[in-house]
Amino acid sequence: MLLVAWSGSAGGQLPVSRGDAMRAALTAGTRFALARADTSAARGRLITARARPNPSLAAGYSKSAPRQHLELEIPFDAPWSRRPRVRAAEALVRAAQLRLLSERDAVLVEVDTTYTTALAAEAHFRLSQQTLRDADSVRAMTARRRDEGDASDLDLDLATVVAGQQSNTASNDSLTFASVMLTLQTLIGIAADSVTIVLANTLSAEPVARQLAATPVAVMPAAALRPPSVLAAEASLRAAELTLASQRHNVFELPALQIGMEHDDPSGDEPGILPIVGIVLPLPLFNRNRGAIAEAASERDRARIELAAARLEVQQRYAEGRRERDALRVRVARDSDLVVRAQRVATRSLTAYREGASALPAVLEARRSAREVQSQYIDDLAALQIVEAELRALERVVSTP
């Protein structure tokens, strides 16, 4: 069976804690690496914006006198043109740095969520294994009682059906667990062709109990939230506005100074070196940079929409998360009590059946209820830890670069 092979192969795997997974995602994960590459590209564009234009040297020969020509063209880089270009590039660097912070938070939340989901999947898997062992034990007990005349063939068939269903459930839970573990390996930069790690942490209710006992923290107003995603959108809008201003300054291109010399007149009419001095004036007859201006204006409008969407999304998720957190805290507290009671009922019903004081359906129903209550407790506990991680990321105060 798959679940037997899984539990037998865990001995040689690498234990990974939640903190280890987060650090690995930032160092070896592809998502954060792409954000770092975008930041490096923005810095490169800033270097380009600050660079002075290079002069050009032209050497020529003609049959008419003078025959040899040498010209040097020096472009102007006026402050009123250079300053908007550099400011726009600096704004793009700042936006890239904030997007890097936003991606960092997103990666950490994603890994944290996936790790919690893996813990919940592991807890479901272990619960399924225990339930399967209990179902096999009840079936073996029923078979013995049938042979002794204390149970019927119908009871044995019912116990066999329940054991078979639990075997299928355990198999499905093992597949789900393996799938989540492979997803976690992908996020932290480990090949996902096979499961090579094990979870070093457990899905514990102790942090939840401390949160429930602690004094409630004042809720931050949704309008005051400025996580890195919102800050990045604000910086992108500012960069788009500066880029548009820079493109508008490029309607009339700057002139260039031209200096040079001519010499080599075979007739001797123009002996020596003849100087050349001039100015190159670009004529905006066919192109006034309208395409670049229109593109920059569209990017600015898009940045405005993205900023509004980012703010609305953060406010919506924060409001939903607070409600989910409050409801889940109550449910987890209730689930923890129900788990104890349901397990006690299942244990007592099995004892009564073993002593002949209870029927088999009552035992199976009690054990089914106990498993459902434990499964719900696992799901609620994992959901609470996930929403807590999301809210912490939204409430985090970021020092802008």
Side-chain angles (χ1 to χ4, degrees), residues 18 21-22 25 30-32 102-118 180 183-184 186-188 386 389-390 393:
R18 190 187 299 268
M22 291 181 175
T30 57
R31 181 174 179 179
F32 192 62
S102 177
E103 283 298 302
R104 181 183 183 276
D105 280 5
V107 167
L108 293 179
V109 170
E110 184 179 16
V111 173
D112 193 359
T113 299
T114 306
Y115 197 95
T116 302
T117 304
V180 178
T183 302
L184 180 60
T186 301
L187 293 177
I188 63 179
I386 289 173
E390 292 178 353

Side-chain angles (χ1 to χ4, degrees), residues 284-358:
L285 299 179
F286 307 110
N287 175 21
R288 295 194 177 185
N289 207 32
R290 287 192 295 266
I293 293 174
E295 183 178 356
S298 299
E299 292 295 332
R300 179 205 55 192
D301 296 339
R302 179 183 179 88
R304 286 176 178 172
I305 297 172
E306 289 179 345
L307 174 58
R311 287 172 174 168
L312 291 175
E313 182 180 352
V314 166
Q315 293 172 5
Q316 176 192 2
R317 183 57 196 138
Y318 188 63
E320 291 178 349
R322 292 202 314 266
R323 289 193 294 269
E324 291 175 11
R325 178 183 59 189
D326 296 340
L328 285 169
R329 284 182 173 181
V330 176
R331 288 170 58 178
V332 166
R334 184 188 303 118
D335 290 342
S336 61
D337 178 65
L338 293 178
V339 165
V340 176
R341 294 177 183 271
Q343 190 60 42
R344 185 165 58 238
V345 170
T347 302
R348 289 177 178 177
S349 64
L350 181 61
T351 302
Y353 176 67
R354 186 180 293 111
E355 296 174 352
S358 177

